[in-house]
Amino acid sequence: MPTLLDRTFKLNEHGTSVKTEILAGVTTFLTMAYILFVNPTILSSTGMPKDAVFVATCVVAALGTIVMALYANYPIAVAPGMGLNAYFAYTVVGSMGYSWQAALGAVFLSGCLFLLISALGLRSLLITGIPQTLRAGTSAGIGLFLAIIGLSNAGIVVASPKTLVTLGDMHSIPVLLAWLGFFLIVALDYLKVTGSVLIGILVVSALSFLVGGNHFEGVVSIPSSIAPTFLALDIKGALAGGLVTVVLVLFLVIYLLRSFALRLMGVARRAGLYVGTPTPDQDRRLRRALMADSTAIVAGSVLGTSSATAYVESAAGVQAGGRTGLTALTVAALFLLALFFSPLAAVVPPYATAPALMFVACLMVRDLADLDWRDSTEAVPAVITTLAMPFTYSVANGLAFGFISYVALKTLTGRWRDVHPLTWIIALLFLVRFAWLTGH
């Protein structure tokens, strides 16, 4: 077996061993396993069966990561993305009123578009065509969007007819446990404890049995049926009306939120897989890795979950010594094993996952630190994007305001030549969208 693994993943060539790769895979899984509890909680708010979403989350994460392992030989894991699930549930289904089946159809179409672009090698066009300032603003804006969802799920923020939002009951058990979980996650992260987010969720869930009125339903069981969400996507519905815009926004959010290629290359460089001038073999592996996440998006829509993406948490496994696809294959195996622990996901209350949303929000907002604050034509569109997403409760509106303001400010200051044609096209599409909404 070691010889077979060495031939498959070229362990000796990468200066690693089976033991190191497996430990690295376990490390990566622990840092991202929180998605097993958070994703079903978010998507079930649309009416999707929580048990089926849990199974879909496990299977999609396993499939996408296996493709990454065997096709690209990269130590990078793939799973349904944070922020992407929130846009799916709270904007497309919640605010815009579309069915979750039609939303899955939009995910499918955006995944097919990604596959096409990856196959044609056009992803580099998006990297150069969309300004970094809007990528930072999108990441921070979705972070604040997640923060509002988390604060609301915990009961820390509640609706108010006079002030729109106000402070909830700070003496309630859910609020107190949510704050405890949040502070625990932050402290463990500072102490560099592997799986800090997962530990926070599990601690709050355990305490909910003691003081929160939760009921224990077991630990291990046969996986639930995926039938309620399998092939439930409505592609025809996704092509109707405003969902054409949803496909565009999903496409942009996937790319801007994760900036997959850049993050992937960052992890790859840390692993020594993509250093200096890339060799033809390194370029080939990177292109295959880009195809892997696109495949996972399509698979997710078919199985019943929101868009998948490569997880930057994979850097934890790389830090632990992971250098090849054996690390990713280990992660995939653990996601498949997690299928038998669905009772745990069923008893995790929303206020237990709220701290995870709040913590991820804090991580995403820090992208604003990379802005050039001396150039208002760069900083202001990013801030507008960041603020519009939570305050209009719409990722699409935030993107629209960001692109339009970027083009407008560059034009008014005589720097319109600095704007890439792709940014012009996207801004004009959003202007047409606003005109269409006004007229209808």
Side-chain angles (χ1 to χ4, degrees):
M1 180 60 71
T3 304
L4 175 62
L5 293 176
D6 179 57
R7 287 201 307 267
T8 303
F9 298 106
K10 302 179 180 178
L11 302 181
N12 288 333
E13 180 180 323
H14 290 91
T16 185
S17 66
V18 173
K19 179 181 177 181
T20 299
E21 293 291 300
I22 291 176
L23 289 176
V26 172
T27 300
T28 294
F29 176 78
L30 290 176
T31 61
M32 61 182 291
Y34 65 86
I35 194 63
L36 293 172
F37 306 107
V38 176
N39 202 51
T41 298
I42 290 178
L43 296 190
S44 63
S45 67
T46 67
M48 299 179 72
K50 191 172 184 179
D51 290 342
V53 173
F54 175 82
V55 174
T57 301
C58 293
V59 174
V60 168
L63 286 176
T65 307
I66 287 173
V67 174
M68 186 71 75
L70 300 180
Y71 186 57
N73 196 22
Y74 262 25
I76 295 173
V78 177
M82 290 294 297
L84 299 168
N85 48 14
Y87 174 67
F88 179 100
Y90 299 107
T91 298
V92 179
V93 178
S95 296
M96 300 177 70
Y98 292 100
S99 68
W100 59 264
Q101 292 89 343
L104 285 177
V107 172
F108 175 82
L109 293 174
S110 66
C112 290
L113 188 55
F114 260 98
L115 275 174
L116 178 62
I117 287 178
S118 299
L120 296 177
L122 297 179
R123 277 196 168 188
S124 59
L125 174 64
L126 292 177
I127 296 174
T128 58
I130 299 176
Q132 171 60 30
T133 185
L134 292 181
R135 288 200 289 267
T138 301
S139 180
I142 293 181
L144 292 183
F145 193 61
L146 290 175
I148 284 186
I149 294 168
L151 292 169
S152 177
N153 287 348
I156 298 171
V157 169
V158 296
S160 168
K162 294 182 179 180
T163 59
L164 298 182
V165 293
T166 189
L167 189 65
D169 180 7
M170 297 300 290
H171 300 94
S172 69
I173 294 298
V175 168
L176 294 174
L177 289 180
W179 279 122
L180 173 64
F182 176 70
F183 293 140
L184 178 62
I185 290 172
V186 175
L188 291 176
D189 178 74
Y190 177 81
L191 296 172
K192 301 189 183 307
V193 175
T194 300
S196 57
V197 178
L198 177 62
I199 292 172
I201 292 174
L202 294 178
V203 167
V204 174
S205 298
L207 291 175
S208 71
F209 295 118
L210 301 176
V211 296
N214 205 348
H215 300 288
F216 187 68
E217 298 183 10
V219 177
V220 180
S221 72
I222 299 298
S224 301
S225 172
I226 201 174
T229 58
F230 181 63
L231 289 177
L233 67 165
D234 180 6
I235 298 176
K236 183 178 179 180
L239 292 172
L243 271 187
V244 174
T245 302
V246 172
V247 174
L248 171 64
V249 173
L250 264 174
F251 179 81
L252 289 174
V253 169
I254 293 169
Y255 210 83
L256 293 174
L257 178 59
R258 290 298 180 184
S259 298
F260 176 79
L262 297 179
R263 290 176 182 265
L264 182 62
M265 290 172 64
V267 176
R269 286 195 176 99
R270 187 178 299 187
L273 303 174
Y274 206 86
V275 180
T277 303
T279 65
D281 179 65
Q282 289 173 336
D283 268 338
R284 177 180 58 82
R285 292 175 67 191
L286 179 61
R287 286 195 300 270
R288 288 186 172 187
L290 295 173
M291 288 291 292
D293 84 305
S294 302
T295 303
I297 296 172
V298 175
S301 66
V302 172
L303 293 169
T305 185
S306 53
S307 303
T309 185
Y311 263 62
V312 74
E313 284 87 345
S314 301
V318 170
Q319 190 70 30
R323 294 294 181 269
T324 73
L326 184 54
T327 293
L329 193 64
T330 302
V331 177
L334 291 172
F335 270 115
L336 290 176
L337 182 62
L339 281 168
F340 298 93
F341 293 87
S342 59
L344 287 179
V347 298
V348 173
Y351 58 81
T353 58
L357 294 173
M358 294 159 59
F359 178 67
V360 171
C362 294
L363 298 181
M364 296 176 74
V365 170
R366 68 184 179 185
D367 281 0
L368 291 178
D370 297 331
L371 293 177
D372 182 1
W373 292 96
R374 296 167 300 179
D375 186 348
S376 57
T377 65
E378 294 287 335
V380 170
V383 174
I384 289 175
T385 303
T386 301
L387 296 177
M389 287 185 184
F391 290 147
T392 66
Y393 213 72
S394 169
V395 173
N397 288 340
L399 284 173
F401 291 153
F403 275 93
I404 293 171
S405 62
Y406 185 86
V407 170
L409 289 174
K410 292 294 185 182
T411 301
L412 290 172
T413 54
R415 298 169 59 188
W416 59 270
R417 292 184 181 86
D418 295 342
V419 181
H420 194 279
L422 182 61
T423 301
W424 275 100
I425 292 171
I426 295 173
L428 290 173
L429 287 174
F430 278 126
L431 275 174
V432 171
R433 171 179 175 266
F434 279 134
W436 187 88
L437 288 175
T438 302
H440 295 73

